[in-house]
Amino acid sequence: LPQPKAQGKKDEVLPEGGQGPGKRDPNRFCSICQASFNNPLMAQQHYSGKKHKKHLTKQKLMETYGPSSAP
């Protein structure tokens, strides 16, 4: 039987390639928005911001419905 994938925090998505420890740390890099941070305060502000929430919503919709086949 296939094992379910372990899930992290709701807003965290680990990058496919796993390029170094900074790319996996949500306080240093947001893999959803491809944004990097200098400190945890910047990360906190990003995760509560409009741009991140918009990207997160889009990602959830794509997971649910997939890419559109209509032209």
Side-chain angles (χ1 to χ4, degrees):
L1 294 172
Q3 296 293 326
K5 292 182 179 180
Q7 294 184 356
K9 292 181 184 176
K10 202 176 201 179
D11 291 346
E12 275 179 42
V13 176
L14 298 178
E16 291 293 318
Q19 300 170 357
K23 297 283 185 183
R24 286 184 239 134
D25 184 0
N27 289 325
R28 309 284 289 155
F29 185 78
C30 174
S31 60
I32 294 170
C33 304
Q34 301 298 308
S36 59
F37 317 114
N38 294 331
N39 59 51
L41 180 59
M42 285 181 65
Q44 183 181 13
Q45 290 173 339
H46 169 78
Y47 289 124
S48 63
K50 290 180 187 178
K51 191 173 184 179
H52 176 76
K53 289 179 181 178
K54 182 179 176 182
H55 282 122
L56 186 62
T57 302
K58 182 179 177 183
Q59 183 184 37
K60 286 180 182 179
L61 288 171
M62 292 299 286
E63 288 174 359
T64 303
Y65 298 108
S68 175
S69 59

